[in-house]
Amino acid sequence: MALSHAILAALTDRPCSGYDLAKQFDGSVGFFWHASHQQIYRELTKLEDQGLVTAEAVAQAGKPDKKIFAVTEAGKTHLQDWIAQPSKCSPTKDDLLVKLFVGHLVPPATVQATLHHERAQHAATLAAYRDIESKYFLSCETLSPSGRFQYITLRNGIHYETAWLAWCDETLATLETLAAE
């Protein structure tokens, strides 16, 4: 997936400024596709040049004009074509797994501290996902079609974080055994 697809996906909900898109991106698509605000602005310019989004200048009192971006029909078609293509499995790139692979080079307590830190981050992410679920997805039956697909995506995140935490707890238990030896 390219950043362009993530931006088009985020803009399908509603037209917005680059600033608002970056904020929205942080709270939705950004959970599974990270991009800096600068990357988003650069990509919006490219998408506009390709005719996949339009930008309407909106005057602001005492501030420079802002651009409101919207997906064009060509952009929707581009996104639909991309959705129809099979996705490749993304290779795993994880610093923690490399550290664990050679974890025997340090005392078990060092690796345990790293895992406890990582575990706290994953637990916080899971809590954020559960909060989103309880605020916006109480009844699947009443969700719009787009809402149902957003919920499917959220459920993937919940399953991922739950599995990650289970693996982490298992790994910490293994390290406790190693530390006792």
Side-chain angles (χ1 to χ4, degrees):
M1 174 170 88
L3 176 56
S4 61
H5 298 116
I7 289 172
L8 289 170
L11 281 174
T12 59
D13 282 341
R14 63 179 172 81
C16 60
S17 69
Y19 175 79
D20 290 336
L21 176 64
K23 282 178 32 185
Q24 175 189 349
F25 204 86
D26 289 342
S28 62
V29 176
F31 281 118
F32 46 87
W33 191 270
H34 176 74
S36 70
H37 290 210
Q38 288 177 332
Q39 289 172 308
I40 291 170
Y41 282 109
R42 274 195 309 267
E43 198 61 37
L44 281 167
T45 299
K46 291 177 190 175
L47 290 169
E48 187 179 11
D49 291 345
Q50 295 168 357
L52 301 178
V53 299
T54 58
E56 178 185 343
V58 175
Q60 301 185 101
K63 298 180 187 177
D65 292 353
K66 70 177 177 179
K67 287 183 170 183
I68 302 295
F69 294 91
V71 178
T72 63
E73 285 305 314
K76 288 179 186 174
T77 300
H78 179 77
L79 206 49
Q80 290 166 340
D81 292 344
W82 173 73
I83 292 168
Q85 299 301 312
S87 296
K88 295 178 184 175
C89 285
S90 299
T92 301
K93 295 180 183 179
D94 191 327
D95 290 352
L96 178 63
L97 293 179
V98 176
K99 290 176 181 183
L100 287 175
F101 188 76
V102 291
H104 64 278
L105 298 175
V106 296
T110 302
V111 178
Q112 287 170 313
T114 299
L115 279 169
H116 282 294
H117 175 76
E118 293 273 340
R119 188 184 193 296
Q121 291 179 19
H122 283 272
T125 300
L126 178 59
Y129 289 166
R130 294 256 189 232
D131 186 50
I132 292 167
E133 183 179 39
S134 69
K135 284 182 181 173
Y136 302 106
F137 300 103
L138 288 177
S139 174
C140 287
E141 297 78 33
T142 62
L143 292 174
S144 67
S146 65
R148 287 182 184 205
F149 280 95
Q150 290 168 357
Y151 185 56
I152 289 168
T153 307
L154 177 64
R155 291 296 302 161
N156 175 269
I158 290 170
H159 286 293
Y160 173 81
E161 296 300 340
T162 301
W164 195 97
L165 290 168
W167 167 84
C168 184
D169 291 343
E170 177 184 302
T171 302
L172 284 166
T174 300
L175 291 174
E176 284 291 326
T177 303
L178 288 173
E181 292 177 356

